[in-house]
């Protein structure tokens, strides 16, 4: 029997985490992903303020990572999927 050695590339702990997780988002605190963050201020009914931010240093670091393409695709797919699921409830 022939054994096939599949090399497993380790991924960084942050892989797929460029955006904050909308399922874990909380109001009145900064929700962070590796690059993007969002803070939604709400005191009572409605939203009083929102702040979206990009960490330019982290973005440049991510773009230099050899796993950037797959990480970005997974991050975007997770964000779209989570948004679609949340919109149903």
């Amino acid at each position: 029997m022939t054994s096939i050695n599949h090399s497993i590339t380790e991924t960084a702990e942050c892989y797929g985490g460029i955006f904050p997780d909308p399922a874990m988002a909380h109001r009145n605190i900064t929700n962070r992903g590796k690059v993007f963050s969002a803070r939604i201020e709400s005191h009572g009914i409605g939203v009083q303020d929102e702040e979206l931010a990009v960490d330019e240093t982290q973005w440049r670091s991510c773009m230099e990572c050899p796993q950037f393409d797959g990480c970005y695709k997974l991050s975007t797919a997770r964000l779209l999927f989570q948004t679609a699921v949340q919109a149903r409830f």
Side-chain angles (χ1 to χ4, degrees), residues 22-74:
M24 303 303 287
H26 298 285
R27 293 181 179 204
N28 305 319
I29 64 167
T30 301
N31 299 279
R32 297 185 188 283
K34 169 107 181 187
V35 175
F36 298 93
S37 62
R39 181 181 180 93
I40 308 299
E41 288 291 330
S42 177
H43 305 283
I45 297 174
V47 172
Q48 284 75 44
D49 191 29
E50 63 182 45
E51 179 183 324
L52 306 175
V54 178
D55 184 328
E56 297 285 340
T57 302
Q58 286 295 344
W59 179 248
R60 284 190 291 280
S61 173
C62 285
M63 289 192 321
E64 292 174 5
C65 177
Q67 298 174 344
F68 174 73
D69 189 52
C71 178
Y72 181 78
K73 288 176 182 175
L74 179 59

